[in-house]
Each structure stands twice: as C-alpha cells, then as structure tokens.
Amino acid sequence: MAEHNELGKSGEQIAVDHLKNKQYTILETNWRSGKYEVDIIAESKDQIIVAEVKTRTSNYLMEPEAAVTRDKQRMLIKAANIYVQRYNIDKEVRFDIISIVMSKDQFRLRHFEDAFYPTM
C-alpha cells in the first residue's frame, strides 16, 4: 500500500476512535456509492454525521481541513443524500471535518462540527 494511503487509513482510525470516545455510533467507514465516498458515517443523538477526514504529515502549506473544497463538499452532500434515501433515514444530517496532522507517533486532531451546510 502506498505511504499516503497508509497515512489516510491511520488518520481515519484515529478519527473513528475520537468519535467513539465522544459516544458516537459508527455506522459506516469508507462508504461508497458509485463515484461518491464518505470516510465516516456516524450517529449521535438524533443526527447522522457525515465526516470527512483529512490527514497530513505537515500543515506547512495549509491546514488539512482546507483541502475540503466546495467541489468535495458537493460530493459529500450528494453521497449523504444517496445514503439517507437508500436507508430511509429521517434524521438531520450534519457535515463534519476531522483534521489530523501526524508526526511520528504523535498527532494533532481538530474536529469541526457543522463544518459546512448543504445549501450549495
């Protein structure tokens, strides 16, 4: 597996652990439908959380969360719509970004709840 893929998988596992520690129920990881993909789909109280995880080894050029562009947001919104329709879910959907900067055995995690809204 390529090094960047391993970094991404490590970051996603850290994000899953973080959400579990916050008492979220993990429904899906790496959920796909056609060209759409969501890193983590979780549930907390009466909400479905669609979480995009961005992991980097440095924030020198930009913070990882800045990589969630408007195009990526649109893709996540479409994926969430497919998911809730497919599984007949009648709950509010929230879009979060989990930003992780890893260096050796340490990491910094930032969790942005309600990072964007599906009004685009």
Side-chain angles (χ1 to χ4, degrees):
M1 183 181 290
E3 189 174 325
H4 71 278
N5 290 341
E6 290 179 25
L7 178 68
K9 290 291 179 198
S10 296
E12 287 175 9
Q13 186 57 55
I14 290 168
V16 164
D17 293 343
H18 167 74
L19 293 174
K20 285 181 177 179
N21 286 337
K22 292 183 72 165
Q23 305 303 312
Y24 289 32
T25 301
I26 305 301
L27 302 175
E28 306 277 353
T29 57
N30 298 305
W31 183 83
R32 290 185 178 279
S33 179
K35 66 179 180 178
Y36 303 106
E37 189 259 339
V38 177
D39 292 332
I40 302 170
I41 299 174
E43 187 173 19
S44 176
K45 300 177 184 158
D46 291 334
Q47 291 184 317
I48 297 296
I49 291 80
V50 173
E52 176 69 8
V53 180
K54 289 297 180 189
T55 307
R56 302 287 186 267
T57 56
S58 168
N59 59 349
Y60 177 71
L61 295 176
M62 73 171 140
E63 292 293 338
E65 64 272 12
V68 183
T69 63
R70 284 175 111 27
D71 285 341
K72 181 62 177 177
Q73 292 174 17
R74 285 186 194 101
M75 296 287 275
L76 289 166
I77 292 164
K78 288 178 183 177
N81 285 335
I82 293 168
Y83 185 83
V84 298
Q85 288 175 6
R86 180 173 295 165
Y87 297 105
N88 199 27
I89 296 170
D90 187 24
K91 294 184 179 184
E92 180 182 333
V93 177
R94 186 180 86 203
F95 295 90
D96 291 6
I97 299 172
I98 300 175
S99 168
I100 301 170
V101 177
M102 296 181 72
S103 59
K104 298 188 183 187
D105 293 333
Q106 298 179 336
F107 64 89
R108 182 199 75 200
L109 180 146
R110 295 193 304 173
H111 182 179
F112 299 92
E113 295 181 6
D114 280 322
F116 59 91
Y117 300 95
T119 57
M120 298 174 201

